[in-house]
Structures are given as structure tokens and as C-alpha cells.
Amino acid sequence: MPHAFAESQAAQDALNALRGPVRLRTLTALRWLAVFGQSLAIVIVHFALGFQTPLGLCLAAIAASAWLNLFTILRFSPQRFLSDREAAAYIAFDIIQLCALLFFTGGIQNPFSALIIAPVTIAASVLPLRFTIGIAALAIAGVSLLAIQHMPIPWYADETFDLAPVYKAGVWAALTFSIAFFAAYAHRIAAESAQMRSALAATQLVLAREERLTALGGLAAAAAHELGTPLATIQVTAKEMLRDFKRAYPEEDDLIDDAALLVSQAERCRDILGRLSRHGDAGDLMHDRLGVDALLREAAGPFLDQPGGPLIRIETKSLDGAPAPVLKRRPEIIFGLRNFIENAAGYARGHVLIRAEWTAERLAVSVHDDGPGFSSEVLTRLGEPYVSARGGKTGLGLGFFIAKTLLESSGAAIRFDNRPIAGHDRNSNGAWVQAEWALNGRSSGLIA
């Protein structure tokens, strides 16, 4: 992928940054919710149902959680962002506190033991993988301890309640697998969400940059038009000064030379502005409207005739005799195609074919190289951010994602595959990418 993209370790660091940080207020609110729920459960079990619970020990465990909440509220600002290590310690305390409460109330026989999954899921959503693994391991260790060591479950005074060992083993296995599954699932979902957010943000930045560059062309034409009149006045005045100096001071060579220099520089400025003005007029061709061939040449411009680079061929063809469509110049289309061409040029062995084919109803632009093609593992996921592997190289794939997103925003349908390039070794499957637009009233403003 393009050389500007960082290595995979840098990508992982960026994703970890996007995953967090988490505010102290968020975890504090969740802990207050847990304190309220635990207190309510203990009160109902002990007083409403009449089960004999170790009330003092249970309330002490709940009070410890409430005390820590009060301490953090008084000591730190609720808006404070926690570091990964602080958030992990915060969640680890919640797991230990919950395990203590379950120890006093029957261990994994207590139906509320399933709540041990909650802090693990939260950790997986906001913490990097290494901390998530640590939190999950702590929860599994707590569940394992509760399976073999715990106080009796609160029950009627004249009865005892104890599950069969095989059933307790099943509950332990269910809790253990649930912790592992929910941790992996939540971590994966959070990672993909962070990837998508960063990739979409990068897409917006790229599009804004391309729009600014496009606006410069119109600004140059406007500046040339506005400066034309005062520069013409300067040029006329300079010529009159030169004529007057030659007539009144024929012996003052320095004055005559200075006036001649002023005239020549004014003419030079006028020529420059004339070129800018002509560029802007064609800019109705170059900046506002352009043909298919001009579109492809502008997109491929940085890579044409590059020393040491591959041979880039541009082909255009009408499939039904329809004239070539005249298109609006869209920065996202130029950038998207240019990115595909850059990737093809970077991986091609020697040839890149850029082909445009159209009918009265559609326009298709394909970029095809004779390189190693896309790997089979990546081909099914290509277009997602941070996925790339071609020819033994691994990259982020963010460039392809940005190009695909921008082109799709213009109404294009993107397809990609590995195919032999026309006119070359039929056994060599190079990468092939195509963008296709509908040329009708429902297209996204493509036709000028």
C-alpha cells in the first residue's frame, strides 16, 4: 500500500488510543449502580424472603465499594480520564469485590454469579488486549476459587441446599467460557469500531484537502481576472514613463534602463496572469468539466513517465458508439482513482493498464497491474480499514478504504479481483479494481 502509511505496530498503538480513554465518571456511575443492585438484592433475600445471610459481611463488602467511590469522587475530578492501568485496577477491584460478595452467599451456586461477566465485558470494550486478558484471567480465577471454596448459600434455616458436584462443574464451565467469549467478542467489536472511526476521519480529512486543492484552481483564475486591470494600468504608465525619459533625458541611461525594466517585468506579470486566466478558462474544462481521457490522465499524472516506474497505458472505449461522457470534476473521484493507480504502480512488475469503457447508461474505469495480485485471505476483506497483503507485504489498507469510500460516495460500485492483464502472461493474475457509475438522472451529479 502507499508508502506514507505507518507500520502495523503504529496502527495498533493508534487503535489503542482510539479505544479509550474512559472517564472516571463513567466507571463511578457503573459502580454506584452495582452498589444499589447488590444492596437491594441482599435486603430482599434477608428480610423479604427470610433467608439467613451473613448480613454484616455482605454489607461490609458493599460498603467497601461505596467507600472507594466516595474517595475517588472527593479526590479526583469526575471528568478525569483514566490511564489504561488505572482503569484496569478500577475494574479489577470490582471483580474482587463481587467475588467476595459471592463467597459470602454461596459461590457459583448463587444465581447472581453470572454478573462476573459484566466487568470483564466493560474491560474488553475500553482496554487494550493485554489488560483485557489480565482482567479475564482474574475473573476466571475468581470463578474457579468460588467453585471449590465458599460459604453456604443463604437458605431456609431448617434445610440445606447444595448442588451436585457435576452440576457445579457445569456452572463453572459455563461461567468460564462465557467470560472468555464475551471478552473476545467485546474486544473485537470495540477494535473494529475504533478502526472504522479513525478510517472515516482520515477519509474526511483527505476529501477536505482535495477540495481545497481544487478550489485553488478557481482562485487562481479569479485572481488573474481581478489583477488584470491594475496591471494593465501599470504597464501603460511604465511605457509612458519610458517614452518621456527617452525624450526629456536622453543622456540618463540609468533612468531609461530602469523604466525599460519596469515595462518588461509588467509584461512578464501580464503573461503569467494570462496563463493563469487561460488555465481557469480551460478550468471550465479542468476544474469544472472534463472528459474521460482527461480524468484518467489527471488521476495518473504523478505516475506517468516516472523514471524506473512501470509503463502505464490509458485506454478509452465506447461499447455502444455513445460519445464520451463529459463529467463534473469531483475531487473524491480524482483522489480515489489516483490511489488505485498508485497501488498498482507500486506492485506492478512492469505494466499498469487504466481502462475506461462506457455506454449511454454506464461508465466503468478499471486499474489493472501485472503484479502478484491480492492474497486469497485479504481478497474477501479488501476495502476494510487496516487490511492489506500483496506480494508478501503487509500494510494498513487505509488508502484502499479511503479510495473505496470516496468513490462510493460519488455513486460508484467498486469491484476487485485477480485477473491476468490483457496482452501479458495469462497465468499471471494481477490485481484488478473497477469503479462503475450509472450515467442517468439518479447518479450522484457525475455528468456535467
Side-chain angles (χ1 to χ4, degrees), residues 231 266-276 278:
L231 186 60
E267 290 178 348
R268 182 184 176 194
C269 289
R270 192 177 182 88
D271 290 340
I272 293 173
L273 290 180
R275 288 198 298 273
L276 287 176
R278 288 192 298 273

Side-chain angles (χ1 to χ4, degrees), residues 54-62 100-101 104 151:
L55 190 61
L57 293 175
C58 292
L59 293 179
I62 297 173
L101 196 58
F104 300 142
M151 295 175 64

